[in-house]
Amino acid sequence: MKNSYNNLSFKKVLCITFFLFLFFQLLTFKSYSDNIKSSEVIVQKMIADAKQHALKTIKLSPEERSSKIKILIKQFINLDFMARATTGSFWKKASNTQKEKYKSALLKQIVNTIEEHLNTLARLSYKPLKSEARGKKLVYIRGIIVDHSKKIPDVNLLWKLAKDKKGNFLVLDLEIEGISLVSSHKAETMSILRKNKGDFNALLGTFTEGE
């Protein structure tokens, strides 16, 4: 009798454990699904806003266009993450003033790098391909910029987004034809910092020289 009771209790525990497992799996799946949807909305809005920008500013000077798109892009990217990621351990050694100057210079470089591709949306279109969750907070979204006339080859894009401290999804990195903005900038930045023993003023000076 006691063995039967123990077996019954054990089965109950197994059933409860199984249903709890399913429940948490469903919650996790829903969380991943929600993250993907939120990220897709951000990318679609960024693309739509960039297309409107390209159409509305087509007659402006390059300086005016860059100034306007800088404001647009800044609201969609995690500039703090990009700044830390591209400077590695040297970031902690920089003063607050140096950090702000570097973020401003980095944003300008990012704008210059992607502006050409985003501005092509004035006559081309963006097509989403695949979205996938990478863990609890990271989402990858693949897409292409398409020229339906086939005069220009498709441009492959990979957006990497993650939640910030406020729970908003922002772009951490963008790969254009397999080339990562963050990785390419990091290689150049780290080379300069190492050469100058982590001197951020030397790094900031290279941005000034390029203007």
Side-chain angles (χ1 to χ4, degrees):
M1 188 73 171
K2 187 175 181 180
N3 287 338
S4 298
Y5 176 77
N6 288 338
N7 287 336
L8 184 61
S9 298
F10 181 69
K11 288 180 180 179
K12 283 184 177 180
V13 171
L14 280 179
C15 287
I16 292 171
T17 302
F18 177 73
F19 283 115
L20 283 174
F21 173 77
L22 286 180
F23 176 72
F24 285 114
Q25 284 292 101
L26 287 171
L27 283 181
T28 301
F29 177 79
K30 185 179 184 304
S31 175
Y32 286 179
S33 178
D34 289 344
N35 287 350
I36 289 174
K37 288 179 181 178
S38 297
S39 298
E40 287 175 340
V41 168
I42 292 297
V43 170
Q44 291 291 352
K45 179 168 173 45
M46 184 176 182
I47 292 293
D49 288 356
K51 189 167 186 177
Q52 286 298 313
H53 160 83
L55 292 169
K56 290 179 179 179
T57 64
I58 199 165
K59 294 183 179 180
L60 297 180
S61 67
E63 291 78 15
E64 290 176 306
R65 298 186 81 193
S66 293
S67 176
K68 288 182 178 295
I69 200 171
K70 185 184 293 184
I71 297 172
L72 184 156
I73 292 174
K74 190 175 181 180
Q75 63 182 306
F76 292 104
I77 66 172
N78 191 327
L79 189 59
D80 288 332
F81 168 84
M82 291 181 173
R84 294 194 305 271
T86 52
T87 55
S89 59
F90 293 110
W91 181 250
K92 295 180 180 179
K93 300 176 182 178
S95 68
N96 290 334
T97 300
Q98 289 173 327
K99 288 178 179 179
E100 290 305 315
K101 286 183 178 179
Y102 175 71
K103 285 194 289 184
S104 179
L106 177 62
L107 176 61
K108 185 175 181 179
Q109 279 204 333
I110 292 171
V111 168
N112 291 340
T113 303
I114 69 177
E115 187 174 25
E116 177 184 350
H117 298 285
L118 291 181
N119 283 338
T120 58
L121 292 173
R123 50 195 172 80
L124 308 181
S125 61
Y126 173 76
K127 179 183 177 182
L129 295 178
K130 183 182 179 182
S131 303
E132 57 181 309
R134 294 294 186 93
K136 295 180 180 180
K137 296 182 179 181
L138 186 63
V139 176
Y140 280 15
I141 297 179
R142 300 180 187 276
I144 52 174
I145 294 177
V146 182
D147 176 15
H148 296 289
S149 69
K150 301 301 181 182
K151 293 180 181 179
I152 301 174
D154 295 344
V155 178
N156 291 286
L157 303 176
L158 170 60
W159 309 86
K160 300 177 183 180
L161 298 92
K163 281 184 180 179
D164 64 2
K165 294 179 180 179
K166 296 180 180 179
N168 300 317
F169 273 90
L170 295 173
V171 176
L172 299 182
D173 193 11
L174 169 61
E175 289 186 11
I176 302 173
E177 289 295 329
I179 299 175
S180 161
L181 291 182
V182 169
S183 295
S184 59
H185 284 300
K186 182 176 182 178
E188 181 181 356
T189 299
M190 293 294 284
S191 174
I192 296 170
L193 286 170
R194 289 190 182 111
K195 183 179 179 181
N196 292 279
K197 299 180 180 180
D199 184 358
F200 254 78
N201 287 328
L203 173 63
L204 294 170
T206 63
F207 290 115
T208 306
E209 291 169 6
E211 292 180 354

